[in-house]
Amino acid sequence: MAEQRSGRPRLSSPATIADAACELFFERGYEATSIADIALRAGVSRSSFFNYFSSKSDILWSSFDARVDALRAHLDAADDGPLAVASALRAFAADFAPDALALAMANASAMGLEDELERESAIRTSRIGRSVSVALRRGGDPLAADVTGTAVGGAVLAAVRAWAAAGPGRTSLARTLDDAVAVIAPLLTPRGRVHQLRLDVRAADLDQALQ
């Protein structure tokens, strides 16, 4: 019979459920932990669990996905592709705080999450890449837009992994993402312009990059 942790408050919240899930992932591994186990450990019902999360994976990715949705909305509303990508990425990384995903990335092996994170990271890389590609296709070369979008999606996930590996909260994701995008900056600079694109608080360079 599953054991319920005594003393845990029964007031449900996403943070309470995520904390319980991470405890169990450490103890049993991701695959061996069920939603029922998580609900029991958190002291909530299954219906309460589904009020906050659509699946076990959603515990890790819901906050990240909300940022991806905001990035897509930012790009959809903008006219200038390259500048929009830069500003959308700055917004994506702003105030990025340690959460269940960062903990999972930093402890993937101990939690039995390596395959899950690889699979789900690929999905987010693709989502970000498609959004960037659509923005860059407006008035741009479709092939270059697709290649750049794929590169940007990869840079975002690589930056998040590096940020988590350094110890969630010990470094700034904005700075790490800036370093990652610097690698692909030539792709984000329109042809005929030579300034390098930067993203984070060194954004004075960014704002001048495409002038």
Side-chain angles (χ1 to χ4, degrees):
M1 180 176 178
E3 177 184 353
Q4 182 171 336
R5 200 53 81 78
S6 61
R8 180 178 292 281
R10 289 185 175 273
L11 180 63
S12 64
S13 71
T16 298
I17 295 169
D19 287 348
C22 288
E23 288 176 2
L24 288 167
F25 297 161
F26 271 119
E27 293 171 13
R28 306 178 186 180
Y30 180 81
E31 293 297 337
T33 300
S34 68
I35 288 174
D37 295 332
I38 295 168
L40 183 63
R41 175 64 63 89
V44 302
S45 65
R46 280 177 59 89
S47 61
S48 293
F49 175 96
F50 287 112
N51 284 338
Y52 297 110
F53 303 107
S54 62
S55 65
K56 188 167 63 170
S57 178
D58 194 38
I59 296 170
L60 304 178
W61 290 99
S62 58
S63 294
F64 186 94
D65 287 344
R67 287 179 179 261
V68 173
D69 290 342
L71 180 146
R72 183 174 61 247
H74 186 124
L75 294 175
D76 288 346
D79 294 326
D80 189 315
L83 279 176
V85 171
S87 60
L89 290 175
R90 284 205 308 268
F92 178 92
D95 301 320
F96 202 105
D99 60 3
L101 177 61
L103 183 65
M105 286 184 167
N107 298 277
S109 179
M111 290 177 150
L113 271 163
E114 291 169 312
D115 291 343
E116 170 72 12
L117 288 177
E118 181 177 359
R119 179 171 57 252
E120 295 296 325
S121 292
I123 292 171
R124 274 72 187 183
T125 297
S126 178
R127 287 178 183 169
I128 294 169
R130 284 197 303 270
S131 296
V132 171
S133 174
V134 169
L136 295 178
R137 278 171 172 259
R138 294 194 288 267
D141 175 61
L143 177 60
D146 288 349
V147 171
T148 302
T150 299
V152 171
V156 170
L157 270 296
V160 173
R161 285 192 296 268
W163 171 75
R170 293 183 181 178
T171 60
S172 163
L173 177 62
R175 179 70 56 152
T176 306
L177 181 56
D178 181 64
D179 291 340
V181 173
V183 177
I184 60 168
L187 295 175
L188 284 166
T189 304
R191 293 176 185 176
R193 301 186 184 181
V194 297
H195 298 288
Q196 188 178 39
L197 203 61
R198 306 297 293 174
L199 293 183
D200 70 354
V201 288
R202 289 173 280 182
D205 293 336
L206 168 73
D207 293 334
Q208 296 174 0
L210 299 175
Q211 290 179 0

